[in-house]
Structures are given as structure tokens and as C-alpha cells.
Amino acid sequence: MASNLVSYIAQMLTPDMIARIASALGLDSSKVQGAVSAAIPAVLAGLTGLAAQPGGAQRIADTASQNGGSLDNLLGILSSGDQTTLAQSGSQIISSLFGAKDGGALASAIGGVSGMDQRASGSLLATLAPLVLGGLARQSGGDLSANGIAGLLASQKDNIAAALPPGARELLGGTGLLGALGASAQTAANSASQAAASAATAASSVGGAGQRAAAAPAPSGSRSWLYWVIAVLALAAVLFYLFGRPSGEVAPQAGTAGPSLTVGGVDIGQQVKDSMTSLQTTLTGITDAASATAALPKLEEVASGLDKVSGAAGQMSAEQKAALSALVGPMMSQLNGLFDKVLAIPGVSDILKPAIDVLKSKLAALSA
């Protein structure tokens, strides 16, 4: 059983699959990626609520048994770009499990978070529904009974609540779809509020410090610059507080590159950031040998993307190469920590060490 069901399902959707979905919807891939990040926990939250109702877990179990055994086929259909059959199946799943009202609420919440219209968000929801149920079935450990499904979803409440974007949580708050998350949803909401309040307090404190420094009488002599240095350092401290602190579940943040990293019309800097985000997400979803095997194609895909970046680097100026190194360097500490953590999981090193060694080498070359 996966320790994080949301991450397991999310890592099945490769950047290529996201791009195919985006193309079918006529949308930008980044917008679709954001919508997917909201849709997966939103659907799982709805399923958790349904499982808590009389007969609900059995309905989910029956539907999951029809989709779980064909998960690889579903992914193959999505990879091929033929989404019509998948969306038709998903529409039936949404209608059967949630009904028109709650299904519409899910689509509206996904659209509200991502900026999609109702048509596009409904199509995306239908496309993802079979994959969510397929992932649920596979991670049930073969127990597709009502009790097995209910137990799996109940064990994932904290992960689901944590992954649900605040905007989606607010939009779904009055629908009853989040009721089964209970304290988990409230804890996630409180954590987000506390983080925002802490950031606001820190910013206010620095603002006050800057105002006091500016208002203070200027001292005579060469020490007059000292007050301005103090204000600048205080501002740097709050910027680090807001953006620079490490977090186990947040993609590593890159430094800001000075010169443009666009080569031959391709934004190399953005490619590096996307690759690092995908790499961090994939690594945090690895919990055992099975999830390591599932993650291997994504790691190889990231490595392939880094090869393209390395090839383009040969066309960069010395200034651009320095900027690329400055972009990759700050990420390395966190990524190396994730690499070590993953390789320490029993059974994972034999599967992933060659791929991780390749990634380390490529990343080291880019940060040199």
C-alpha cells in the first residue's frame, strides 16, 4: 500500500501525458498541471466522503474493480493521445459515484483554482477519474472489498487534505464533499493560515524596521551607511523566510538568473526548473520497491531532458553558463538529500541507483 496515494497517482501522469491532455483541451500545459494537482486530491476527497456513507464504499469498490485491473491499459490510452474513450468512461464514473450536482461542484472547483472554464475542467475531471480509481484499486493491495477501500481512503485523509489547494478547499467547503476529511481538512487549512500570518507578521516587522531606520537622524561620519545596511539585511532575512526555507514537500527553489537563458528560441532556464520540479515530485513519491519501479521511467525522462539542456549549453555565452550554474547550484543540496533518502529505502537502491547516479552526474555538470 502506498504511503501517499495522492503522490502515487500524480506520478503516473508524465509531462508528455500532461502535454497531450493540454493539447486536447486547447490549453497551456502549466495550467493543466495546476488543474491536475487540484483534481486528484479533490476526487479522492469526494471518494472518502462517499466511502463514509452507507453502501458508498461498496459502490466505489465495485467501480474500482472494473477499472483497477486495466490501469496500464488506461495509461497506454492516455499516452497514445486517444482520450475520447477514457473521458467517456470517466463521465460515467463521475455520474455514477457523485451525481450531477457533486460532479459539477468538483469540476467548478478545479476550474476555479486553475482558471479553466467549466467545459475544460469537466473534460479533465472525466479523463482523470478512471486513472484515480485505477490507482486506488492497485494500491489497495488486492483488497477491493468495501472495508478494504474504506480503510485505504480513511488512512489517506491527512495526505489528501494536505494536497488539496486552499482555493479548492474553499470552493468545495459548502458541498459536503470534504466532510469525511474532518479534522484533517481543518488542520491543513489552519496550517496554511498560520503560514500566511507568519509571513505577514515578518513582512510587517521588516517594514517597521525599515521605516525606523529611515526616520532615525543620520549619524555623522562614515557610519551613516550602517542604518541602511541593517535595513537591507532585515529585508533579506524576511525574503529568505518567505522563499528560501527548505521544505520536504515543496519543489526546490532556484536562484534568479541574471541574463536570459533562452537559446535557439528555447527557454533553458524554464526547462531546468520544470525538470527539477518533476524530479522532486517523483522522488518524494517513492516509498518502496514497487513505487521505485513505477518512478524509474520518470527519472529517465528527466535525465533525457537534462541531456537536451546540456546540448544547448554548448551554445551559451560564458555569462549564460554562469547563470545556469547559479540556477542549478542552490537546488543540489535538497536534491542530494532526497537521492540519499530514496536509496536508503529497502529494495530501492538496486532499482534506481544507476538512474540516480546518472542524474547526479548530469546535475553536477550543469552546476559546475
mmCIF file with all atom_site columns, all heavy atoms in Angstrom, residues 1 15 17 50 61 101 110 126 132 149 166 185 189 202 232 242 267 270 273 286 299 316-317 349:
data_model
loop_
_atom_site.group_PDB
_atom_site.id
_atom_site.type_symbol
_atom_site.label_atom_id
_atom_site.label_alt_id
_atom_site.label_comp_id
_atom_site.label_asym_id
_atom_site.label_entity_id
_atom_site.label_seq_id
_atom_site.pdbx_PDB_ins_code
_atom_site.Cartn_x
_atom_site.Cartn_y
_atom_site.Cartn_z
_atom_site.occupancy
_atom_site.B_iso_or_equiv
_atom_site.pdbx_formal_charge
_atom_site.auth_seq_id
_atom_site.auth_comp_id
_atom_site.auth_asym_id
_atom_site.auth_atom_id
_atom_site.pdbx_PDB_model_num
ATOM 1   N N   . MET A 1 1   ? 0.843   -1.190 0.000   1.00 0.00 ? 1   MET A N   1
ATOM 2   C CA  . MET A 1 1   ? 0.000   0.000  0.000   1.00 0.00 ? 1   MET A CA  1
ATOM 3   C C   . MET A 1 1   ? 0.882   1.245  0.000   1.00 0.00 ? 1   MET A C   1
ATOM 4   O O   . MET A 1 1   ? 1.836   1.331  0.748   1.00 0.00 ? 1   MET A O   1
ATOM 5   C CB  . MET A 1 1   ? -0.915  0.005  1.227   1.00 0.00 ? 1   MET A CB  1
ATOM 6   C CG  . MET A 1 1   ? -1.885  1.183  1.267   1.00 0.00 ? 1   MET A CG  1
ATOM 7   S SD  . MET A 1 1   ? -2.912  1.159  2.779   1.00 0.00 ? 1   MET A SD  1
ATOM 8   C CE  . MET A 1 1   ? -3.796  -0.384 2.547   1.00 0.00 ? 1   MET A CE  1
ATOM 9   N N   . PRO A 1 15  ? 5.013   14.268 -17.873 1.00 0.00 ? 15  PRO A N   1
ATOM 10  C CA  . PRO A 1 15  ? 4.872   15.539 -18.593 1.00 0.00 ? 15  PRO A CA  1
ATOM 11  C C   . PRO A 1 15  ? 4.320   15.353 -20.005 1.00 0.00 ? 15  PRO A C   1
ATOM 12  O O   . PRO A 1 15  ? 3.571   16.200 -20.496 1.00 0.00 ? 15  PRO A O   1
ATOM 13  C CB  . PRO A 1 15  ? 6.311   16.074 -18.615 1.00 0.00 ? 15  PRO A CB  1
ATOM 14  C CG  . PRO A 1 15  ? 6.942   15.502 -17.383 1.00 0.00 ? 15  PRO A CG  1
ATOM 15  C CD  . PRO A 1 15  ? 6.347   14.127 -17.248 1.00 0.00 ? 15  PRO A CD  1
ATOM 16  N N   . MET A 1 17  ? 2.160   13.063 -20.955 1.00 0.00 ? 17  MET A N   1
ATOM 17  C CA  . MET A 1 17  ? 0.716   12.855 -20.832 1.00 0.00 ? 17  MET A CA  1
ATOM 18  C C   . MET A 1 17  ? 0.001   14.171 -20.543 1.00 0.00 ? 17  MET A C   1
ATOM 19  O O   . MET A 1 17  ? -1.075  14.443 -21.102 1.00 0.00 ? 17  MET A O   1
ATOM 20  C CB  . MET A 1 17  ? 0.426   11.853 -19.714 1.00 0.00 ? 17  MET A CB  1
ATOM 21  C CG  . MET A 1 17  ? 0.856   10.430 -20.025 1.00 0.00 ? 17  MET A CG  1
ATOM 22  S SD  . MET A 1 17  ? 0.467   9.329  -18.655 1.00 0.00 ? 17  MET A SD  1
ATOM 23  C CE  . MET A 1 17  ? 1.146   7.773  -19.267 1.00 0.00 ? 17  MET A CE  1
ATOM 24  N N   . LEU A 1 50  ? -17.785 9.684  0.153   1.00 0.00 ? 50  LEU A N   1
ATOM 25  C CA  . LEU A 1 50  ? -18.738 8.671  -0.301  1.00 0.00 ? 50  LEU A CA  1
ATOM 26  C C   . LEU A 1 50  ? -18.541 7.364  0.454   1.00 0.00 ? 50  LEU A C   1
ATOM 27  O O   . LEU A 1 50  ? -19.517 6.684  0.815   1.00 0.00 ? 50  LEU A O   1
ATOM 28  C CB  . LEU A 1 50  ? -18.556 8.446  -1.808  1.00 0.00 ? 50  LEU A CB  1
ATOM 29  C CG  . LEU A 1 50  ? -19.435 7.364  -2.456  1.00 0.00 ? 50  LEU A CG  1
ATOM 30  C CD1 . LEU A 1 50  ? -20.911 7.684  -2.265  1.00 0.00 ? 50  LEU A CD1 1
ATOM 31  C CD2 . LEU A 1 50  ? -19.100 7.230  -3.945  1.00 0.00 ? 50  LEU A CD2 1
ATOM 32  N N   . ALA A 1 61  ? -15.871 0.299  -4.464  1.00 0.00 ? 61  ALA A N   1
ATOM 33  C CA  . ALA A 1 61  ? -15.154 -0.956 -4.667  1.00 0.00 ? 61  ALA A CA  1
ATOM 34  C C   . ALA A 1 61  ? -15.583 -1.629 -5.968  1.00 0.00 ? 61  ALA A C   1
ATOM 35  O O   . ALA A 1 61  ? -14.754 -2.132 -6.735  1.00 0.00 ? 61  ALA A O   1
ATOM 36  C CB  . ALA A 1 61  ? -15.395 -1.895 -3.487  1.00 0.00 ? 61  ALA A CB  1
ATOM 37  N N   . LYS A 1 101 ? -24.845 16.959 -9.373  1.00 0.00 ? 101 LYS A N   1
ATOM 38  C CA  . LYS A 1 101 ? -24.584 18.117 -8.515  1.00 0.00 ? 101 LYS A CA  1
ATOM 39  C C   . LYS A 1 101 ? -23.144 18.118 -7.989  1.00 0.00 ? 101 LYS A C   1
ATOM 40  O O   . LYS A 1 101 ? -22.406 19.091 -8.169  1.00 0.00 ? 101 LYS A O   1
ATOM 41  C CB  . LYS A 1 101 ? -25.561 18.118 -7.337  1.00 0.00 ? 101 LYS A CB  1
ATOM 42  C CG  . LYS A 1 101 ? -25.373 19.311 -6.406  1.00 0.00 ? 101 LYS A CG  1
ATOM 43  C CD  . LYS A 1 101 ? -26.383 19.266 -5.265  1.00 0.00 ? 101 LYS A CD  1
ATOM 44  C CE  . LYS A 1 101 ? -26.173 20.434 -4.300  1.00 0.00 ? 101 LYS A CE  1
ATOM 45  N NZ  . LYS A 1 101 ? -27.137 20.402 -3.177  1.00 0.00 ? 101 LYS A NZ  1
ATOM 46  N N   . ILE A 1 110 ? -12.190 22.733 -9.627  1.00 0.00 ? 110 ILE A N   1
ATOM 47  C CA  . ILE A 1 110 ? -10.957 22.557 -10.417 1.00 0.00 ? 110 ILE A CA  1
ATOM 48  C C   . ILE A 1 110 ? -10.771 23.734 -11.361 1.00 0.00 ? 110 ILE A C   1
ATOM 49  O O   . ILE A 1 110 ? -9.666  24.273 -11.506 1.00 0.00 ? 110 ILE A O   1
ATOM 50  C CB  . ILE A 1 110 ? -11.004 21.233 -11.193 1.00 0.00 ? 110 ILE A CB  1
ATOM 51  C CG1 . ILE A 1 110 ? -11.006 20.042 -10.216 1.00 0.00 ? 110 ILE A CG1 1
ATOM 52  C CG2 . ILE A 1 110 ? -9.835  21.123 -12.168 1.00 0.00 ? 110 ILE A CG2 1
ATOM 53  C CD1 . ILE A 1 110 ? -11.397 18.735 -10.856 1.00 0.00 ? 110 ILE A CD1 1
ATOM 54  N N   . ALA A 1 126 ? -13.235 14.137 -16.145 1.00 0.00 ? 126 ALA A N   1
ATOM 55  C CA  . ALA A 1 126 ? -13.646 12.857 -16.726 1.00 0.00 ? 126 ALA A CA  1
ATOM 56  C C   . ALA A 1 126 ? -12.447 12.036 -17.182 1.00 0.00 ? 126 ALA A C   1
ATOM 57  O O   . ALA A 1 126 ? -12.420 10.804 -17.041 1.00 0.00 ? 126 ALA A O   1
ATOM 58  C CB  . ALA A 1 126 ? -14.590 13.106 -17.904 1.00 0.00 ? 126 ALA A CB  1
ATOM 59  N N   . VAL A 1 132 ? -7.687  7.722  -11.402 1.00 0.00 ? 132 VAL A N   1
ATOM 60  C CA  . VAL A 1 132 ? -7.742  7.801  -9.938  1.00 0.00 ? 132 VAL A CA  1
ATOM 61  C C   . VAL A 1 132 ? -8.268  6.487  -9.369  1.00 0.00 ? 132 VAL A C   1
ATOM 62  O O   . VAL A 1 132 ? -7.708  5.927  -8.420  1.00 0.00 ? 132 VAL A O   1
ATOM 63  C CB  . VAL A 1 132 ? -8.625  8.978  -9.492  1.00 0.00 ? 132 VAL A CB  1
ATOM 64  C CG1 . VAL A 1 132 ? -8.847  8.936  -7.978  1.00 0.00 ? 132 VAL A CG1 1
ATOM 65  C CG2 . VAL A 1 132 ? -7.975  10.303 -9.874  1.00 0.00 ? 132 VAL A CG2 1
ATOM 66  N N   . ILE A 1 149 ? -11.424 -0.774 0.714   1.00 0.00 ? 149 ILE A N   1
ATOM 67  C CA  . ILE A 1 149 ? -11.428 0.557  0.095   1.00 0.00 ? 149 ILE A CA  1
ATOM 68  C C   . ILE A 1 149 ? -11.638 1.636  1.139   1.00 0.00 ? 149 ILE A C   1
ATOM 69  O O   . ILE A 1 149 ? -10.952 2.668  1.154   1.00 0.00 ? 149 ILE A O   1
ATOM 70  C CB  . ILE A 1 149 ? -12.519 0.639  -0.996  1.00 0.00 ? 149 ILE A CB  1
ATOM 71  C CG1 . ILE A 1 149 ? -12.155 -0.256 -2.183  1.00 0.00 ? 149 ILE A CG1 1
ATOM 72  C CG2 . ILE A 1 149 ? -12.724 2.079  -1.450  1.00 0.00 ? 149 ILE A CG2 1
ATOM 73  C CD1 . ILE A 1 149 ? -10.898 0.164  -2.926  1.00 0.00 ? 149 ILE A CD1 1
ATOM 74  N N   . PRO A 1 166 ? -5.710  25.408 -1.175  1.00 0.00 ? 166 PRO A N   1
ATOM 75  C CA  . PRO A 1 166 ? -6.650  26.193 -0.369  1.00 0.00 ? 166 PRO A CA  1
ATOM 76  C C   . PRO A 1 166 ? -7.859  26.684 -1.166  1.00 0.00 ? 166 PRO A C   1
ATOM 77  O O   . PRO A 1 166 ? -8.983  26.680 -0.657  1.00 0.00 ? 166 PRO A O   1
ATOM 78  C CB  . PRO A 1 166 ? -5.784  27.363 0.126   1.00 0.00 ? 166 PRO A CB  1
ATOM 79  C CG  . PRO A 1 166 ? -4.399  26.827 0.141   1.00 0.00 ? 166 PRO A CG  1
ATOM 80  C CD  . PRO A 1 166 ? -4.327  25.877 -1.028  1.00 0.00 ? 166 PRO A CD  1
ATOM 81  N N   . ALA A 1 185 ? -8.846  18.223 7.210   1.00 0.00 ? 185 ALA A N   1
ATOM 82  C CA  . ALA A 1 185 ? -9.041  19.399 6.372   1.00 0.00 ? 185 ALA A CA  1
ATOM 83  C C   . ALA A 1 185 ? -8.854  20.674 7.183   1.00 0.00 ? 185 ALA A C   1
ATOM 84  O O   . ALA A 1 185 ? -8.254  21.648 6.716   1.00 0.00 ? 185 ALA A O   1
ATOM 85  C CB  . ALA A 1 185 ? -10.435 19.375 5.748   1.00 0.00 ? 185 ALA A CB  1
ATOM 86  N N   . ALA A 1 189 ? -6.057  23.597 6.638   1.00 0.00 ? 189 ALA A N   1
ATOM 87  C CA  . ALA A 1 189 ? -6.457  24.995 6.474   1.00 0.00 ? 189 ALA A CA  1
ATOM 88  C C   . ALA A 1 189 ? -5.780  25.883 7.507   1.00 0.00 ? 189 ALA A C   1
ATOM 89  O O   . ALA A 1 189 ? -5.311  26.978 7.201   1.00 0.00 ? 189 ALA A O   1
ATOM 90  C CB  . ALA A 1 189 ? -7.980  25.115 6.594   1.00 0.00 ? 189 ALA A CB  1
ATOM 91  N N   . ALA A 1 202 ? 6.141   38.775 9.645   1.00 0.00 ? 202 ALA A N   1
ATOM 92  C CA  . ALA A 1 202 ? 7.559   39.008 9.360   1.00 0.00 ? 202 ALA A CA  1
ATOM 93  C C   . ALA A 1 202 ? 7.744   40.199 8.437   1.00 0.00 ? 202 ALA A C   1
ATOM 94  O O   . ALA A 1 202 ? 8.632   41.033 8.638   1.00 0.00 ? 202 ALA A O   1
ATOM 95  C CB  . ALA A 1 202 ? 8.180   37.761 8.745   1.00 0.00 ? 202 ALA A CB  1
ATOM 96  N N   . VAL A 1 232 ? 18.627  46.692 4.900   1.00 0.00 ? 232 VAL A N   1
ATOM 97  C CA  . VAL A 1 232 ? 18.762  45.768 3.773   1.00 0.00 ? 232 VAL A CA  1
ATOM 98  C C   . VAL A 1 232 ? 18.892  44.333 4.264   1.00 0.00 ? 232 VAL A C   1
ATOM 99  O O   . VAL A 1 232 ? 18.270  43.398 3.727   1.00 0.00 ? 232 VAL A O   1
ATOM 100 C CB  . VAL A 1 232 ? 19.964  46.156 2.898   1.00 0.00 ? 232 VAL A CB  1
ATOM 101 C CG1 . VAL A 1 232 ? 20.261  45.066 1.875   1.00 0.00 ? 232 VAL A CG1 1
ATOM 102 C CG2 . VAL A 1 232 ? 19.691  47.475 2.193   1.00 0.00 ? 232 VAL A CG2 1
ATOM 103 N N   . LEU A 1 242 ? 10.383  33.888 3.597   1.00 0.00 ? 242 LEU A N   1
ATOM 104 C CA  . LEU A 1 242 ? 9.240   33.642 2.713   1.00 0.00 ? 242 LEU A CA  1
ATOM 105 C C   . LEU A 1 242 ? 9.547   32.635 1.628   1.00 0.00 ? 242 LEU A C   1
ATOM 106 O O   . LEU A 1 242 ? 8.697   31.821 1.268   1.00 0.00 ? 242 LEU A O   1
ATOM 107 C CB  . LEU A 1 242 ? 8.803   34.965 2.055   1.00 0.00 ? 242 LEU A CB  1
ATOM 108 C CG  . LEU A 1 242 ? 8.168   36.003 2.985   1.00 0.00 ? 242 LEU A CG  1
ATOM 109 C CD1 . LEU A 1 242 ? 7.961   37.302 2.238   1.00 0.00 ? 242 LEU A CD1 1
ATOM 110 C CD2 . LEU A 1 242 ? 6.838   35.490 3.536   1.00 0.00 ? 242 LEU A CD2 1
ATOM 111 N N   . ASP A 1 267 ? 13.587  28.280 -23.861 1.00 0.00 ? 267 ASP A N   1
ATOM 112 C CA  . ASP A 1 267 ? 13.899  28.802 -22.540 1.00 0.00 ? 267 ASP A CA  1
ATOM 113 C C   . ASP A 1 267 ? 14.529  27.691 -21.702 1.00 0.00 ? 267 ASP A C   1
ATOM 114 O O   . ASP A 1 267 ? 13.843  26.882 -21.073 1.00 0.00 ? 267 ASP A O   1
ATOM 115 C CB  . ASP A 1 267 ? 12.625  29.321 -21.865 1.00 0.00 ? 267 ASP A CB  1
ATOM 116 C CG  . ASP A 1 267 ? 12.911  30.058 -20.555 1.00 0.00 ? 267 ASP A CG  1
ATOM 117 O OD1 . ASP A 1 267 ? 14.026  29.922 -20.046 1.00 0.00 ? 267 ASP A OD1 1
ATOM 118 O OD2 . ASP A 1 267 ? 12.014  30.765 -20.054 1.00 0.00 ? 267 ASP A OD2 1
ATOM 119 N N   . GLN A 1 270 ? 13.706  27.695 -17.891 1.00 0.00 ? 270 GLN A N   1
ATOM 120 C CA  . GLN A 1 270 ? 12.407  27.124 -17.529 1.00 0.00 ? 270 GLN A CA  1
ATOM 121 C C   . GLN A 1 270 ? 12.428  25.606 -17.633 1.00 0.00 ? 270 GLN A C   1
ATOM 122 O O   . GLN A 1 270 ? 11.813  24.911 -16.821 1.00 0.00 ? 270 GLN A O   1
ATOM 123 C CB  . GLN A 1 270 ? 11.307  27.694 -18.440 1.00 0.00 ? 270 GLN A CB  1
ATOM 124 C CG  . GLN A 1 270 ? 9.883   27.307 -18.013 1.00 0.00 ? 270 GLN A CG  1
ATOM 125 C CD  . GLN A 1 270 ? 9.563   27.789 -16.610 1.00 0.00 ? 270 GLN A CD  1
ATOM 126 O OE1 . GLN A 1 270 ? 9.752   28.964 -16.300 1.00 0.00 ? 270 GLN A OE1 1
ATOM 127 N NE2 . GLN A 1 270 ? 9.094   26.890 -15.762 1.00 0.00 ? 270 GLN A NE2 1
ATOM 128 N N   . LYS A 1 273 ? 14.010  24.318 -14.471 1.00 0.00 ? 273 LYS A N   1
ATOM 129 C CA  . LYS A 1 273 ? 13.074  24.412 -13.339 1.00 0.00 ? 273 LYS A CA  1
ATOM 130 C C   . LYS A 1 273 ? 12.012  23.324 -13.419 1.00 0.00 ? 273 LYS A C   1
ATOM 131 O O   . LYS A 1 273 ? 11.685  22.682 -12.412 1.00 0.00 ? 273 LYS A O   1
ATOM 132 C CB  . LYS A 1 273 ? 12.422  25.793 -13.321 1.00 0.00 ? 273 LYS A CB  1
ATOM 133 C CG  . LYS A 1 273 ? 13.368  26.926 -12.997 1.00 0.00 ? 273 LYS A CG  1
ATOM 134 C CD  . LYS A 1 273 ? 12.641  28.265 -13.069 1.00 0.00 ? 273 LYS A CD  1
ATOM 135 C CE  . LYS A 1 273 ? 13.591  29.428 -12.854 1.00 0.00 ? 273 LYS A CE  1
ATOM 136 N NZ  . LYS A 1 273 ? 12.913  30.733 -12.987 1.00 0.00 ? 273 LYS A NZ  1
ATOM 137 N N   . ILE A 1 286 ? 8.354   8.126  -3.827  1.00 0.00 ? 286 ILE A N   1
ATOM 138 C CA  . ILE A 1 286 ? 8.934   6.780  -3.749  1.00 0.00 ? 286 ILE A CA  1
ATOM 139 C C   . ILE A 1 286 ? 8.970   6.326  -2.294  1.00 0.00 ? 286 ILE A C   1
ATOM 140 O O   . ILE A 1 286 ? 9.589   6.973  -1.447  1.00 0.00 ? 286 ILE A O   1
ATOM 141 C CB  . ILE A 1 286 ? 10.346  6.761  -4.351  1.00 0.00 ? 286 ILE A CB  1
ATOM 142 C CG1 . ILE A 1 286 ? 10.295  7.128  -5.838  1.00 0.00 ? 286 ILE A CG1 1
ATOM 143 C CG2 . ILE A 1 286 ? 10.997  5.394  -4.161  1.00 0.00 ? 286 ILE A CG2 1
ATOM 144 C CD1 . ILE A 1 286 ? 11.660  7.349  -6.464  1.00 0.00 ? 286 ILE A CD1 1
ATOM 145 N N   . LEU A 1 299 ? 12.260  9.239  -13.946 1.00 0.00 ? 299 LEU A N   1
ATOM 146 C CA  . LEU A 1 299 ? 13.647  9.656  -13.711 1.00 0.00 ? 299 LEU A CA  1
ATOM 147 C C   . LEU A 1 299 ? 14.442  9.630  -15.016 1.00 0.00 ? 299 LEU A C   1
ATOM 148 O O   . LEU A 1 299 ? 15.257  10.519 -15.276 1.00 0.00 ? 299 LEU A O   1
ATOM 149 C CB  . LEU A 1 299 ? 14.298  8.741  -12.674 1.00 0.00 ? 299 LEU A CB  1
ATOM 150 C CG  . LEU A 1 299 ? 13.696  8.758  -11.258 1.00 0.00 ? 299 LEU A CG  1
ATOM 151 C CD1 . LEU A 1 299 ? 14.499  7.835  -10.347 1.00 0.00 ? 299 LEU A CD1 1
ATOM 152 C CD2 . LEU A 1 299 ? 13.660  10.164 -10.696 1.00 0.00 ? 299 LEU A CD2 1
ATOM 153 N N   . MET A 1 316 ? 25.796  28.451 -25.292 1.00 0.00 ? 316 MET A N   1
ATOM 154 C CA  . MET A 1 316 ? 25.653  29.581 -24.377 1.00 0.00 ? 316 MET A CA  1
ATOM 155 C C   . MET A 1 316 ? 26.933  30.398 -24.285 1.00 0.00 ? 316 MET A C   1
ATOM 156 O O   . MET A 1 316 ? 28.043  29.876 -24.449 1.00 0.00 ? 316 MET A O   1
ATOM 157 C CB  . MET A 1 316 ? 25.275  29.078 -22.973 1.00 0.00 ? 316 MET A CB  1
ATOM 158 C CG  . MET A 1 316 ? 23.869  28.540 -22.842 1.00 0.00 ? 316 MET A CG  1
ATOM 159 S SD  . MET A 1 316 ? 23.548  28.019 -21.125 1.00 0.00 ? 316 MET A SD  1
ATOM 160 C CE  . MET A 1 316 ? 21.783  27.683 -21.226 1.00 0.00 ? 316 MET A CE  1
ATOM 161 N N   . SER A 1 317 ? 26.753  31.660 -23.955 1.00 0.00 ? 317 SER A N   1
ATOM 162 C CA  . SER A 1 317 ? 27.901  32.505 -23.657 1.00 0.00 ? 317 SER A CA  1
ATOM 163 C C   . SER A 1 317 ? 28.418  32.153 -22.266 1.00 0.00 ? 317 SER A C   1
ATOM 164 O O   . SER A 1 317 ? 27.751  31.446 -21.489 1.00 0.00 ? 317 SER A O   1
ATOM 165 C CB  . SER A 1 317 ? 27.479  33.980 -23.685 1.00 0.00 ? 317 SER A CB  1
ATOM 166 O OG  . SER A 1 317 ? 26.546  34.241 -22.637 1.00 0.00 ? 317 SER A OG  1
ATOM 167 N N   . SER A 1 349 ? 17.527  0.756  -3.875  1.00 0.00 ? 349 SER A N   1
ATOM 168 C CA  . SER A 1 349 ? 18.840  1.041  -4.448  1.00 0.00 ? 349 SER A CA  1
ATOM 169 C C   . SER A 1 349 ? 19.116  0.190  -5.687  1.00 0.00 ? 349 SER A C   1
ATOM 170 O O   . SER A 1 349 ? 19.632  0.691  -6.694  1.00 0.00 ? 349 SER A O   1
ATOM 171 C CB  . SER A 1 349 ? 19.926  0.805  -3.397  1.00 0.00 ? 349 SER A CB  1
ATOM 172 O OG  . SER A 1 349 ? 21.203  1.083  -3.927  1.00 0.00 ? 349 SER A OG  1
#
